[in-house]
């Protein structure tokens, strides 16, 4: 059989890569409806004058607290629409009457609920196939919760894969794999990073991820890491 020309071979490899990434597991994008409670009170300011301290507490009393309350109301309204399957209403952002996650994220960006709204909006934008918008919204999210941060990086990685920027996706998955202390979360994103590395034919990196699973997370993997390690020799 005649060998494929270089152009035809590249085209075939390109098709295989596209098909591979179509099959990537996107479980990281399951919306778990976690609603963080009101943002924690600001820490006390040390070494300030009495007038400054009074000003600080006045700011909390009359600006921060009401803002947090309104942010929570807005978030819960969007969450209710999401639970009812009304994704567009949940996303919102088109009218003051229905701010949704977009409006809440924009209006209350300094609050924890505002940041969480940005995360949820990013997931919905991803669902619509608007990967760059999804990435930008997810990038605005931050939290002291390490597992949520791992989920953020994982979702951002999926957005990059949607934009066919799989090398960048791999870097984000590496962040996701190291962001959390939760063993299953670490296993999940380590495995996903290994699969993406394998798809990019970065076999050395892929082997590193699967070997880590083999050493630390066999309880979650059911021996699959051994099969993946073998694949790195031939894929």
């Amino acid at each position: 059989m005649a060998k494929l020309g270089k152009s035809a071979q590249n085209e075939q490899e390109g098709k295989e890569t596209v098909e591979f990434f179509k099959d990537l597991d996107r479980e990281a994008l399951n919306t778990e409806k976690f609603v963080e409670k009101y943002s924690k009170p600001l820490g006390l300011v040390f070494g300030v004058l009495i007038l400054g301290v009074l000003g600080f507490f006045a700011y909390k009393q009359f600006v921060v607290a009401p803002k947090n309350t309104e942010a929570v109301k807005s978030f819960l309204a969007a969450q209710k629409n999401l639970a009812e399957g009304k994704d567009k209403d949940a996303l919102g952002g088109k009218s003051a009457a229905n701010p949704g996650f977009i409006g809440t994220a924009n209006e209350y960006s300094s609050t924890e609920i505002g940041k969480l709204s940005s995360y949820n909006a990013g997931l919905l934008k991803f669902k619509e196939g608007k990967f760059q918008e999804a990435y930008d919204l997810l990038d605005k999210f931050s939290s002291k919760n390490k597992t949520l941060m791992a989920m953020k990086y994982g979702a951002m990685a999926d957005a990059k894969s949607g934009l066919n920027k799989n090398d960048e996706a791999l870097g984000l998955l590496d962040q996701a794999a190291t962001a959390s202390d939760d063993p299953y979360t670490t296993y999940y994103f380590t495995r996903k990073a290994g699969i993406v590395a394998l798809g990019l034919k970065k076999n050395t990196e892929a082997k590193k991820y699967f070997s880590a699973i083999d050493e630390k997370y066999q309880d979650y993997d059911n021996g699959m890491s051994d099969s993946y390690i073998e694949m790195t020799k031939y894929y």
Side-chain angles (χ1 to χ4, degrees):
M1 183 181 293
K3 293 185 178 179
L4 291 174
K6 186 174 183 61
S7 176
Q9 183 178 354
N10 289 341
E11 181 179 353
Q12 181 64 27
E13 289 182 355
K15 288 180 179 179
E16 290 175 356
T17 301
V18 169
E19 290 302 317
F20 182 91
F21 284 105
K22 281 183 179 179
D23 293 335
L24 284 180
D25 182 1
R26 297 190 181 278
E27 290 179 9
L29 291 176
N30 288 340
T31 305
E32 294 296 337
K33 301 178 184 177
F34 16 67
V35 180
E36 288 195 347
K37 293 186 179 180
Y38 303 86
S39 57
K40 295 180 180 180
L42 296 171
L44 293 177
V45 180
F46 296 99
V48 296
L49 298 174
I50 296 299
L51 183 60
V53 175
L54 292 175
F56 170 72
F57 283 108
Y59 175 77
K60 282 183 62 182
Q61 177 84 24
F62 300 110
V63 178
V64 175
K67 199 166 189 176
N68 283 341
T69 301
E70 291 304 312
V72 170
K73 288 180 181 178
S74 183
F75 177 90
L76 290 178
Q79 195 69 32
K80 181 175 183 293
N81 283 325
L82 183 63
E84 294 174 354
K86 302 174 183 177
D87 288 1
K88 290 188 179 298
D89 289 336
L91 192 57
K94 295 184 178 180
S95 71
N98 179 37
F101 291 128
I102 290 284
T104 306
N106 291 336
E107 182 67 21
Y108 307 105
S109 59
S110 63
T111 68
E112 296 299 314
I113 288 295
K115 293 171 185 176
L116 187 58
S117 294
S118 184
Y119 176 85
N120 280 2
L123 296 182
L124 287 172
K125 283 293 184 180
F126 182 91
K127 190 175 179 180
E128 290 182 351
K130 297 177 179 178
F131 303 123
Q132 187 60 56
E133 290 182 51
Y135 179 90
D136 293 339
L137 285 162
L138 290 163
D139 195 30
K140 294 178 182 178
F141 173 69
S142 63
S143 173
K144 292 180 181 179
N145 185 304
K146 293 180 180 180
T147 300
L148 285 180
M149 289 303 292
M151 297 291 288
K152 164 191 168 170
Y153 293 129
M156 289 171 69
D158 285 335
K160 284 295 185 181
S161 287
L163 294 166
N164 294 317
K165 296 180 179 180
N166 296 304
D167 283 293
E168 293 180 42
L170 180 58
L172 286 161
L173 285 170
D174 190 77
Q175 285 183 270
T178 57
S180 174
D181 296 328
D182 175 65
Y184 182 80
T185 302
T186 301
Y187 153 73
Y188 176 80
F189 287 117
T190 299
R191 176 180 176 274
K192 197 164 185 178
I195 292 172
V196 172
L198 198 61
L200 290 169
K201 301 187 186 303
K202 295 186 175 184
N203 291 1
T204 300
E205 291 186 52
K207 185 177 180 180
K208 177 191 72 174
Y209 292 119
F210 293 125
S211 294
I213 292 172
D214 191 49
E215 292 172 10
K216 301 176 183 178
Y217 306 108
Q218 290 186 7
D219 290 345
Y220 301 117
D221 198 54
N222 295 320
M224 287 298 297
S225 56
D226 291 335
S227 299
Y228 280 118
I229 290 171
E230 283 299 310
M231 289 176 67
T232 64
K233 299 176 183 178
Y234 310 107
Y235 184 76

